Amino acid sequence: CFLCHRYLQPPGTWIQCTLESRELLALCLKKIKASLSKVRLIDAGFIWTEPHSKRLKLKLTVQKEVINGAVLQQVFVVEYIVQSQMCEDCHRIEAKDFWKAVVQVRQKTLHKKTFYYLEQLILKHRLHQNTLRIKEIHDGLDFYYSSKQQAQKMVDFLQCTVPSRSKSSQRLISHDIHSNVYNYKSTFSVEIVPICKDNVVCLSPKLAQSLGNMSQICVCIRVTSTIHLIDPSTLQIAEIDGNTYWRHPFNSLFHPKQLEEFIIVDINRVQERKKGAGAGARSNKHTLAEAWVQKTSELNTDHQYFCCTHLGHVLNPGDLVLGFDLANCNLNDEFANKMNPHNIPDVVLIKKSYDRTKRQRRRNWKLKELERDREGTDTDDERQYQDFLEDLEEDEAIRKNVNIYRNADIPVESDTDDDGPPRISLAEMLEDLHISQDATGGEGANMMT
């Protein structure tokens, strides 16, 4: 095939073969299998030909027993002519009717953190290799496939890696009444739960009770195959899978643009409090603390807020921290409106704030991206992508599932620098592979043997 450079293995299989490879040798020998039936093949190998000559030459050594047990051996050359045609897959692509199934992945949120994480998982497990096309739209991705089985494999992968639900449909394209063959196009719709990392959520009373009498106001600290929640007032943690979420749905109270910057006026670490009846597990990676904070926009006033936070292990007096102001906002949530006002905290702190410009300058690593068609890039996409990179630096658990590559353009600095934002160590980075020679026999390259 002159488009995808695959070779036809009769009757209808197309295989990928590089020049002078074992696969191509086996394919050529099958063409003369009948001629070799009366002799014994001893050796076979390629004779070099110019890559663009459309000629392949094979040097064969054969033996045959003749009169009185004498063995005759002969070496001869077989020349093949390569004929170009178009395979069925490329023919469908050229006819603009190339896909048989599409997987539509959607998430109804304003932030794309979950999609950036999902993109890295797809790259790591190489699930993008069978896609014909990837199209990015404003609230998700579309993956096009040449067969329904490949699309179903992608749906199964998504359900194992992110909390989601799916449904499928199919449309009849054509029907041959003589052979009773139906041609369908399948569509799989995958909806990811609309909760991202660093979201503040309000659980239903029934769900909060089933999770070990948690507070209804929780912070999402991570989204993997489940939603990881933490109660900032008790450090109690819980995991919610996709099925549980769709039975007891809840929404995010704020979107990331509503984050406000606070300064820590005073902070006190709190000893572990006594567990209540039926309480669940607590986080060992966080430290409970009570803090007095003040908005950086209100430094000329004496207005301070008191809150409990799960970030006692990273915060000190004078630090800047991002959080949400619940005291001066209008919560439009069915569960939050029914809560006792005394149980709603004034401020929920999300993460420590660092100088973004300095972080970008010191970042000596990079990620790979999927090749996809974009409808239009939003100006907010770059800020969201930087947020995702910062989350990777701060969360080791997410980092284990992502391939991080060394950026040779940035000089290496010492990893022992304790001051400043968290960083990724060199031990966690992979070397980016650059292929300098054309292994398929390109112009000026050595042929593979």
Side-chain angles (χ1 to χ4, degrees):
C1 175
F2 60 86
L3 287 179
C4 64
H5 305 291
R6 293 185 298 174
Y7 291 86
L8 175 63
Q9 181 174 342
T13 306
W14 291 85
I15 59 175
Q16 192 78 39
C17 300
T18 56
L19 290 177
E20 299 197 11
S21 63
R22 290 183 179 181
E23 294 82 4
L24 187 57
L25 181 64
L27 189 65
C28 292
L29 290 177
K30 286 180 181 178
K31 296 283 185 182
I32 56 173
K33 190 174 181 180
S35 305
L36 296 174
S37 58
K38 296 181 180 180
V39 294
R40 185 168 60 176
L41 181 65
I42 300 300
D43 188 27
F46 283 101
I47 299 176
W48 187 87
T49 55
E50 207 281 324
H52 303 289
S53 64
K54 298 292 184 181
R55 298 292 187 274
L56 296 175
K57 289 186 177 181
L58 247 65
K59 181 181 178 182
L60 304 181
T61 305
V62 295
Q63 285 183 353
K64 186 177 181 180
E65 186 175 341
V66 291
I67 304 170
N68 298 329
V71 176
L72 185 66
Q73 179 173 309
Q74 185 176 353
V75 178
F76 62 96
V77 176
V78 182
E79 181 175 325
Y80 297 85
I81 300 176
V82 180
Q83 294 182 342
S84 296
Q85 64 181 86
M86 192 182 292
C87 67
E88 292 181 1
D89 295 337
C90 294
H91 198 280
R92 296 183 67 88
I93 293 175
E94 290 299 308
K96 306 300 180 185
D97 185 32
F98 55 93
W99 61 273
K100 288 285 189 70
V102 59
V103 180
Q104 299 174 337
V105 188
R106 300 290 183 268
Q107 186 183 31
K108 298 175 182 177
T109 57
L110 294 175
H111 206 289
K112 298 181 180 179
K113 281 184 179 180
T114 308
F115 275 109
Y116 291 134
Y117 174 65
L118 192 59
E119 177 184 19
Q120 297 304 317
L121 289 178
I122 292 172
L123 284 167
K124 182 170 184 175
H125 295 279
R126 298 182 179 180
L127 282 175
H128 63 292
Q129 291 184 334
N130 293 326
T131 55
L132 300 173
R133 179 190 178 197
I134 302 175
K135 184 179 179 182
E136 180 180 348
I137 58 175
H138 68 282
D139 61 347
L141 294 170
D142 289 347
F143 298 87
Y144 294 89
Y145 293 92
S146 59
S147 68
K148 185 178 178 181
Q149 291 77 14
Q150 293 174 344
Q152 184 64 56
K153 184 179 178 182
M154 182 65 171
V155 172
D156 295 339
F157 172 77
L158 292 173
Q159 290 181 333
C160 294
T161 51
V162 288
S164 58
R165 63 179 175 182
S166 65
K167 57 183 179 180
S168 62
S169 63
Q170 57 185 13
R171 179 164 57 98
L172 181 64
I173 303 300
S174 62
H175 173 214
D176 187 351
I177 60 174
H178 301 290
S179 59
N180 205 29
V181 174
Y182 293 84
N183 182 20
Y184 288 100
K185 279 193 173 182
S186 304
T187 301
F188 296 88
S189 178
V190 179
E191 184 182 357
I192 303 174
V193 296
I195 305 296
C196 291
K197 184 180 183 296
D198 296 338
N199 282 168
V200 176
V201 299
C202 184
L203 308 178
S204 65
K206 184 176 180 181
L207 179 59
Q209 185 180 11
S210 67
L211 296 175
N213 291 325
M214 286 184 73
S215 170
Q216 288 182 245
I217 303 292
C218 295
V219 178
C220 176
I221 55 174
R222 194 180 301 118
V223 177
T224 54
S225 57
T226 57
I227 303 172
H228 298 255
L229 299 177
I230 187 169
D231 182 356
S233 60
T234 62
L235 295 187
Q236 191 171 330
I237 54 176
E239 295 182 14
I240 299 177
D241 58 10
N243 293 332
T244 305
Y245 176 84
W246 298 117
R247 284 199 305 269
H248 306 281
F250 52 88
N251 298 315
S252 174
L253 299 181
F254 301 92
H255 56 79
K257 289 183 179 179
Q258 293 174 304
L259 275 170
E260 297 187 63
E261 193 174 56
F262 295 86
I263 187 169
I264 302 294
V265 179
D266 189 20
I267 187 167
N268 295 313
R269 275 69 176 177
V270 178
Q271 297 298 324
E272 189 171 341
R273 292 176 177 173
K274 187 179 179 181
K275 285 188 177 183
R282 290 183 177 177
S283 174
N284 297 322
K285 297 181 179 180
H286 299 84
T287 303
L288 188 63
E290 294 176 344
W292 285 94
V293 297
Q294 187 176 15
K295 289 184 183 179
T296 54
S297 59
E298 298 177 352
L299 289 179
N300 56 345
T301 66
D302 295 332
H303 196 183
Q304 297 183 1
Y305 302 90
F306 177 79
C307 64
C308 290
T309 179
H310 59 291
L311 302 175
H313 58 297
V314 294
L315 296 180
N316 293 298
D319 286 345
L320 295 177
V321 61
L322 299 175
F324 294 109
D325 181 8
L326 281 74
N328 301 313
C329 69
N330 184 14
L331 293 177
N332 187 18
D333 185 84
E334 58 172 326
F335 302 130
N337 293 337
K338 296 177 183 178
M339 284 183 63
N340 186 340
H342 297 291
N343 295 333
I344 300 178
D346 292 340
V347 171
V348 176
L349 302 181
I350 300 298
K351 60 180 179 179
K352 190 174 178 180
S353 179
Y354 298 98
D355 183 7
R356 172 165 286 184
T357 306
K358 185 178 179 181
R359 293 185 81 161
Q360 288 178 291
R361 191 171 61 248
R362 298 175 63 183
R363 189 171 290 141
N364 58 347
W365 54 276
K366 60 184 178 180
L367 301 176
K368 292 189 175 180
E369 296 185 15
L370 289 174
E371 293 183 6
R372 54 188 183 269
D373 301 332
R374 301 176 187 266
E375 282 191 347
T377 56
D378 191 358
T379 54
D380 196 41
D381 286 354
E382 180 61 29
R383 184 188 65 83
Q384 295 184 16
Y385 189 66
Q386 292 299 324
D387 288 344
F388 172 69
L389 297 182
E390 292 171 6
D391 290 342
L392 283 181
E393 291 176 334
E394 296 168 6
D395 195 338
E396 187 179 353
I398 294 181
R399 219 158 52 219
K400 291 178 180 178
N401 301 326
V402 175
N403 283 344
I404 297 171
Y405 295 91
R406 168 92 174 86
N407 190 355
D409 299 333
I410 308 297
V412 179
E413 295 183 20
S414 174
D415 290 337
T416 59
D417 184 13
D418 294 331
D419 298 331
R423 302 172 60 194
I424 298 178
S425 64
L426 285 172
E428 298 178 80
M429 299 181 194
L430 302 173
E431 288 293 337
D432 199 3
L433 179 63
H434 295 283
I435 300 177
S436 57
Q437 289 186 344
D438 187 0
T440 59
E443 187 175 351
N446 294 326
M447 298 290 286
M448 292 184 66
T449 57

